[in-house]
């Protein structure tokens, strides 16, 4: 999962590099330029498809995996993320959906890394 998030984050920056509205970091109101965003570039569609496919997969994994303490929490989190991505796509908030996905992927990469470190046997790493 950590590798997916790193690769997907790089894919996001590649996809954003060709977008004229990608100045959202310095000029947040530029996200709304040209709203509704009914036309999407191929790169933006690729970003949405990768996000949708990943979260559909993660919902299915969370549903069929063995019972763990956080099964319901993880399934709910992935369903909520999937709903946000779909709603942004359907309502033509595609630029906002990309920004939300960027923030979510950055947080999930650290969350998955923390889960991985908790599963290790190194006591000093667990203490951090």
């Amino acid at each position: 999962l950590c590798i997916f998030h790193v690769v997907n984050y790089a894919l996001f920056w590649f996809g954003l590099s060709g977008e004229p509205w990608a100045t959202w970091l310095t000029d947040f109101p530029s996200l709304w330029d040209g709203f509704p965003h009914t036309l999407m570039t191929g790169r933006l569609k690729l970003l949405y498809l990768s996000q949708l496919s990943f979260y559909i997969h993660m919902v299915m994994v969370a549903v069929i995996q063995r019972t763990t303490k956080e099964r319901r929490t993880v399934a709910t989190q992935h369903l909520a993320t999937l709903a946000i991505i779909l709603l942004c796509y359907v309502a033509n908030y595609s630029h906002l959906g990309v920004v939300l996905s960027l923030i979510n992927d950055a947080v999930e990469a650290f969350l998955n890394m923390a889960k991985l470190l908790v599963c290790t046997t190194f006591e000093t790493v667990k203490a951090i």
Side-chain angles (χ1 to χ4, degrees):
L1 287 177
C2 294
I3 293 171
F4 169 80
H5 288 296
V6 169
V7 169
N8 204 34
Y9 216 70
L11 180 66
F12 266 113
W13 287 114
F14 170 73
L16 291 176
S17 66
E19 298 291 336
W21 57 269
T23 59
W24 63 271
L25 193 55
T26 57
D27 185 23
F28 192 71
S30 69
L31 280 174
W32 308 107
D33 289 347
F35 180 80
H37 308 117
T38 54
L39 297 176
M40 294 174 67
T41 62
R43 289 180 178 182
L44 200 54
K45 287 180 184 178
L46 179 64
L47 295 177
Y48 267 94
L49 285 175
S50 69
Q51 287 291 305
L52 284 174
S53 62
F54 175 73
Y55 284 105
I56 288 171
H57 169 260
M58 290 308 292
V59 166
M60 291 188 320
V61 167
V63 169
I64 61 176
Q65 74 179 359
R66 292 185 318 195
T67 304
T68 61
K69 290 189 294 185
E70 70 236 2
R71 177 181 178 206
R72 287 185 184 159
T73 306
V74 170
T76 304
Q77 174 196 4
H78 292 317
L79 278 172
T81 304
L82 189 60
I84 289 170
I85 293 169
L86 285 172
L87 285 173
C88 285
Y89 181 78
V90 170
N92 295 324
Y93 287 104
S94 56
H95 298 175
L96 182 63
V98 169
V99 172
L100 292 175
S101 293
L102 274 171
I103 294 168
N104 187 43
D105 277 355
V107 170
E108 280 213 16
F110 288 111
L111 179 67
N112 289 326
M113 188 65 90
K115 286 181 182 179
L116 185 66
L117 291 175
V118 166
C119 293
T120 64
T121 58
F122 300 111
E123 293 301 321
T124 54
V125 173
K126 284 185 182 181
I128 296 174

